[in-house]
Amino acid sequence: MKVKTEKKAPFIDMTAMSDVTVLLLTFFMLTSTFLQKEPTTVITPASVSEEKVPEQNLVTLLVTKDSQIFLSIAGDRDSSYSSEKMREEVLLNVVEEYNKKHPNKKIQLTNADVAVFGNTHMFGLPLAQLSEWCKLPTEKRDDLLDPAKNPKAGIPIDMGKDVENRNEFQQWMLALYNTSNPNLAKAVKSGKGIAIKADATTPYSVVQVVMDNLQTLKMNKFTLMTALKTEED
Amino acid sequence: MAKKKEYTKKKDVRVDFTPMVDMNMLLITFFMLCTTMIKSQTLQISLPSNEKVDKTEQNKVKQSEAVTIIVDSDIDDNGVPTKDYVYYYEGMPNIEDANKDGKIDNNIMKEIEFKGNENGKAQGIRAVLQERNKQVVEKITVLKEDWKAKKFSSNKAVNDSVYQARAKEIRNDSTLTRPVIIIKATPNASYKSLVTALDEMQINNISRYQIDRINGTDSAMMADFLIARQK
């Protein structure tokens, strides 16, 4: 005789599971800082240094293998000197200097252009292409900054010994002193505010060019971004 | 009244949380993939100002204190460094060739490796640097024991800061014999090899080091050394 067993869908109580996931979610939301979009992926070399990268008032110089330089500016997090504002101020400073030097080829920027720049985490293009770049749609802008798609990306740099006629990289760096945020200038001066970020496999000669330029600007102190490595005693 | 209540006996309300969990899992995955948990570290560098370089400050370094480290790398066809090499010499460079046979008579350059510790003992370049900076390293080791035992203060932050301050004092104590390390990189050297060299300075508590350009003497010594090694 067959016993008719009534099949019942087993009911699993998901409440506890839900509690756990919500907790995890809260943890991730609170601890996270979002990965910022960078033009190229860089794996920094490892070092035993335990000093953390400052979160505010920091200028990051991303150096690619082909010696293209990208600049990223972070302002104060919780004051009126936000990153966006700092970027806009630096941009206006640089453009002003540029227009003084090139009276025939002045860069004209609208407020919208400046705002676009303010929202860009990392920038690296010759100044001459700037206003054109600001008017492109978002994807096109990213493409133009990507060294894989645009070999001419990056802030122009040379050996940098010519103090009279500074290259664009030096102009950008000098503009950092002239913002309304005294903390940024202070951080740059003390060296804690400049971080060079380069891939471990970059030839040193490429990084050296950047260091030489900083040295010419009397920014003798700076930091190198590294990943943590532990050494046993 | 009492009878009526029995009729409206509430049914067990069960809410199915499965979709909620699904959604939460998705959100967690999103946050996990989009965040950086590990913050980058920084290595502080201070280069001499240009004026100092012009005065050839490095020549004033006492011969007995100087150790020059030269980092070099093999590069592949795309110019990407593949293998790192380290060479070093102690004291002043010497490229004298008295018998004019095209070889340096007494090439003091040696090849060594970045090795780190093995079986609790320093190897490679670290062993050389540790030996040169012995007095400082010994004092720091004693200090470190005290720090681990929290002898300075039971408060962790105070303990750390006292340790850091004392360690800095020892590192800069001019009464101890301390070496001066000059780090040089060939044009092919990888950025990683330079950072590793700078790292060794930190590990070995060396306070006096500088990054310098490779000059003709160094190149000549290296070329001579490499030719001799091939034979």
Side-chain angles (χ1 to χ4, degrees):
Chain A
M1 197 181 95
K2 255 189 181 173
V3 182
K4 212 178 176 186
T5 44
E6 200 186 320
K7 270 188 188 161
K8 239 189 183 176
F11 191 90
I12 304 168
D13 190 5
M14 280 287 179
T15 326
M17 180 81 166
S18 175
D19 288 353
V20 173
T21 51
V22 169
L23 269 181
L24 273 172
L25 191 58
T26 325
F27 169 75
F28 276 106
M29 280 175 75
L30 291 181
T31 56
S32 65
T33 42
F34 279 94
L35 273 177
Q36 295 283 4
K37 210 190 300 176
E38 289 186 351
T40 149
T41 322
V42 157
I43 301 164
T44 53
S47 124
V48 292
S49 174
E50 280 174 7
E51 214 161 312
K52 294 267 186 286
V53 175
E55 280 172 5
Q56 36 191 10
N57 297 319
L58 177 76
V59 183
T60 312
L61 304 170
L62 185 89
V63 185
T64 70
K65 280 171 210 157
D66 303 315
S67 117
Q68 290 149 320
I69 293 163
F70 295 87
L71 189 77
S72 159
I73 302 162
D76 271 5
R77 245 198 321 192
D78 37 29
S79 75
S80 52
Y81 307 121
S82 68
S83 298
E84 286 77 22
K85 200 177 162 205
M86 288 303 103
R87 284 177 206 146
E88 287 169 14
E89 279 187 23
V90 169
L91 175 71
L92 292 176
N93 276 333
V94 170
V95 168
E96 197 189 312
E97 280 296 309
Y98 184 87
N99 285 349
K100 262 188 221 160
K101 284 225 177 89
H102 304 82
N104 307 325
K105 280 190 271 175
K106 276 192 180 173
I107 301 173
Q108 306 291 346
L109 291 177
T110 62
N111 284 344
D113 293 347
V114 176
V116 163
F117 183 85
N119 288 322
T120 308
H121 171 64
M122 213 163 232
F123 177 81
L125 273 182
L127 278 170
Q129 293 179 34
L130 188 74
S131 61
E132 185 196 334
W133 175 80
C134 287
K135 290 176 179 70
L136 290 170
T138 318
E139 294 152 45
K140 287 269 171 63
R141 281 207 299 267
D142 287 347
D143 281 357
L144 212 53
L145 285 181
D146 188 347
K149 289 173 186 156
N150 175 18
K152 282 183 184 153
I155 293 169
I157 192 168
D158 53 20
M159 291 318 282
K161 294 290 176 209
D162 189 354
V163 184
E164 292 299 309
N165 197 2
R166 295 199 185 276
N167 59 38
E168 283 185 23
F169 170 73
Q170 296 190 358
Q171 286 173 20
W172 280 101
M173 292 308 287
L174 283 176
L176 293 169
Y177 282 134
N178 301 322
T179 61
S180 58
N181 178 1
N183 296 335
L184 184 65
K186 219 189 274 172
V188 168
K189 206 160 213 169
S190 73
K192 290 213 167 93
I194 309 176
I196 296 181
K197 190 174 184 182
D199 197 273
T201 56
T202 311
Y204 171 62
S205 48
V206 169
V207 184
Q208 197 177 27
V209 172
V210 180
M211 290 186 180
D212 282 351
N213 271 277
L214 289 173
Q215 212 173 5
T216 313
L217 293 172
K218 299 209 170 71
M219 295 180 179
N220 297 318
K221 286 182 185 165
F222 46 84
T223 58
L224 304 178
M225 248 189 221
T226 55
L228 188 63
K229 168 172 78 177
T230 44
E231 282 282 337
E232 78 279 23
D233 289 312
Chain B
M1 266 324 255
K3 258 192 178 174
K4 246 189 183 173
K5 243 189 184 170
E6 266 172 45
Y7 272 97
T8 52
K9 195 181 177 185
K10 270 187 191 159
K11 248 193 171 179
D12 195 15
V13 183
R14 279 199 153 184
V15 183
D16 189 1
F17 271 100
T18 325
M20 171 88 166
V21 171
D22 288 353
M23 187 200 65
N24 280 346
M25 283 295 190
L26 273 179
L27 279 172
I28 291 178
T29 324
F30 169 75
F31 274 99
M32 278 177 72
L33 292 180
C34 294
T35 57
T36 38
M37 296 292 278
I38 310 157
K39 275 197 70 192
S40 290
Q41 264 63 33
T42 59
L43 196 64
Q44 285 222 331
I45 296 230
S46 43
L47 296 177
S49 66
N50 276 345
E51 293 95 71
K52 259 193 203 159
V53 174
D54 294 340
K55 273 192 246 157
T56 56
E57 187 82 358
Q58 61 265 39
N59 289 350
K60 288 178 194 159
V61 172
K62 268 194 231 157
Q63 189 175 337
S64 58
E65 289 177 336
V67 178
T68 307
I69 297 177
I70 298 175
V71 288
D72 188 22
S73 306
D74 275 346
I75 51 169
D76 65 11
D77 298 336
N78 298 324
V80 179
T82 48
K83 190 173 183 293
D84 294 339
Y85 297 95
V86 200
Y87 307 94
Y88 81 102
Y89 60 83
E90 294 169 273
M92 288 293 132
N94 174 18
I95 47 167
E96 214 173 302
D97 181 12
N99 51 14
K100 302 260 186 289
D101 60 354
K103 278 182 268 172
I104 297 170
D105 301 336
N106 184 20
N107 197 339
I108 48 174
M109 188 173 273
K110 289 173 201 143
E111 189 181 1
I112 202 151
E113 276 174 90
F114 286 129
K115 248 186 172 169
N117 291 356
E118 261 168 40
N119 307 324
K121 276 202 87 175
Q123 306 286 328
I125 189 80
R126 189 174 300 173
V128 176
L129 294 174
Q130 218 170 66
E131 179 61 29
R132 294 297 300 250
N133 204 23
K134 204 164 50 185
Q135 293 189 353
V136 173
V137 171
E138 272 167 10
K139 281 201 165 183
I140 296 260
T141 314
V142 174
L143 191 75
K144 215 173 197 171
E145 290 300 316
D146 288 355
W147 169 67
K148 275 184 184 157
K150 292 202 170 176
K151 268 192 187 170
F152 309 123
S153 164
S154 53
N155 182 329
K156 192 180 177 293
V158 178
N159 193 43
D160 286 359
S161 68
V162 171
Y163 168 70
Q164 294 295 351
R166 294 223 185 138
K168 199 176 173 193
E169 244 169 61
I170 296 175
R171 265 182 238 134
N172 296 321
D173 187 349
S174 52
T175 57
L176 304 171
T177 28
R178 298 170 304 153
V180 176
I181 315 291
I182 301 150
I183 301 169
K184 296 182 179 184
T186 65
N188 286 350
S190 68
Y191 174 57
K192 183 184 157 211
S193 61
L194 186 93
V195 171
T196 317
L198 289 171
D199 221 25
E200 289 297 327
M201 302 301 118
Q202 293 234 327
I203 295 168
N204 295 308
N205 295 302
I206 291 165
S207 58
R208 298 189 293 174
Y209 58 90
Q210 55 198 23
I211 305 173
D212 206 352
R213 257 160 236 281
I214 203 150
N215 56 29
T217 321
D218 299 316
S219 311
M221 274 176 79
M222 242 179 96
D224 180 79
F225 175 78
L226 292 177
I227 290 166
R229 191 182 63 174
Q230 269 174 4
K231 275 176 189 167

